[in-house]
Amino acid sequence: DSGVTQTPKHLITATGQRVTLRCSPRSGDLSVYWYQQSLDQGLQFLIQYYNGEERAKGNILERFSAQQFPDLHSELNLSSLELGDSALYFCASSARWASEQFFGPGTRLTVL
Amino acid sequence: SQELEQSPQSLIVQEGKNLTINCTSSKTLYGLYWYKQKYGEGLIFLMMLQKGGEEKSHEKITAKLDEKKQQSSLHITASQPSHAGIYLCGARRPDAGGTSYGKLTFGQGTILTVHP
């Protein structure tokens, strides 16, 4: 158990819908990262927050957004969902940018 | 990412054999991270290397980062079926301004099968 929790574990929805994925980092970790893993693209960085502020962005679609709350948990919002958004979404956390980065169990999103 | 290449893509070994997985970057790294993943599950942190020439070991797994900080190897001694899975290397690199905010770029993974 990495100490990073993610909910829900599985999510099945339809095209055009909007979903919210939730992540709680390890106790004391200020940085939260979101990654997407798919068969064709592999594991890709989406976005990073540090102590509530956005720090780095990857190839995140405009339909996707995230935020980190004062209690340091984070949410990833995916809207206008398309079939191609089906993937495993991981959250990771670290104490500092140069620290070990621990991953949660992931949320498997299926868009039908 | 083509900037981070892992080799081999897959590996099948007999239990008890030693094996090595390589991870090569086209650019200098600030940090190199090794993870293990069971299919469809989360990534298990193995080791993080930051200094040129650094070597770390945990149980039967040893990871090294070369002096130029562009290549890393993961070596498993006397492999066991429990070592089977997908091994991923992740690179932490500086952005255009020279800062690294911690985001990782991953290789495509190496699928390891260990036959009893």
Side-chain angles (χ1 to χ4, degrees):
Chain A
D1 185 358
S2 67
V4 180
T5 61
Q6 288 188 248
T7 57
K9 191 169 176 63
H10 300 278
L11 201 47
I12 302 174
T13 188
T15 54
Q17 295 298 305
R18 172 189 168 95
V19 297
T20 297
L21 312 183
R22 182 188 169 101
C23 167
S24 291
R26 293 190 324 151
S27 177
D29 284 358
L30 299 179
S31 263
V32 169
Y33 312 80
W34 286 98
Y35 294 86
Q36 178 194 59
Q37 187 177 42
S38 61
L39 281 174
D40 55 343
Q41 296 290 326
L43 188 56
Q44 302 254 322
F45 168 77
L46 294 178
I47 197 164
Q48 176 200 2
Y49 280 82
Y50 179 80
N51 203 21
E53 293 189 9
E54 182 185 306
R55 273 288 176 258
K57 247 181 177 178
N59 296 326
I60 186 168
L61 299 170
E62 286 190 8
R63 300 182 285 108
F64 295 2
S65 65
Q67 54 184 328
Q68 186 180 26
F69 295 87
D71 66 352
L72 301 178
H73 91 271
S74 178
E75 292 181 357
L76 179 67
N77 300 296
L78 315 176
S79 61
S80 303
L81 286 167
E82 302 175 359
L83 296 177
D85 297 327
S86 295
L88 262 171
Y89 290 84
F90 289 108
C91 167
S93 75
S94 67
R96 300 178 308 278
W97 299 332
S99 302
E100 294 90 344
Q101 202 168 121
F102 295 92
F103 280 70
T107 293
R108 179 173 292 281
L109 173 66
T110 303
V111 182
L112 301 175
Chain B
S1 166
Q2 292 182 345
E3 295 181 351
L4 200 63
E5 292 286 337
Q6 278 187 242
S7 63
Q9 288 190 332
S10 64
L11 195 51
I12 302 173
V13 300
Q14 205 67 32
E15 182 177 1
K17 296 294 186 184
N18 302 336
L19 63 104
T20 299
I21 299 169
N22 295 301
C23 179
T24 302
S25 171
S26 57
K27 302 175 183 178
T28 300
L29 311 170
Y30 277 359
L32 193 289
Y33 297 63
W34 283 101
Y35 293 89
K36 178 187 172 185
Q37 184 182 25
K38 293 284 189 182
Y39 181 76
E41 299 181 8
L43 279 68
I44 300 168
F45 174 81
L46 295 176
M47 276 169 276
M48 179 184 74
L49 306 165
Q50 298 191 96
K51 300 176 184 176
E54 188 175 10
E55 178 175 323
K56 287 186 177 179
S57 293
H58 177 66
E59 297 181 342
K60 296 184 177 181
I61 300 177
T62 300
K64 301 177 185 179
L65 182 62
D66 74 338
E67 290 290 342
K68 291 185 178 179
K69 293 173 42 175
Q70 285 188 261
Q71 187 164 18
S72 178
S73 61
L74 185 82
H75 184 78
I76 299 178
T77 304
S79 59
Q80 300 168 351
S82 61
H83 288 127
I86 303 167
Y87 288 81
L88 290 153
C89 65
R92 182 165 54 83
R93 295 198 184 96
D95 63 13
T99 303
S100 165
Y101 290 109
K103 68 176 185 179
L104 300 181
T105 301
F106 283 89
Q108 75 275 29
T110 295
I111 303 171
L112 173 63
T113 304
V114 181
H115 286 311

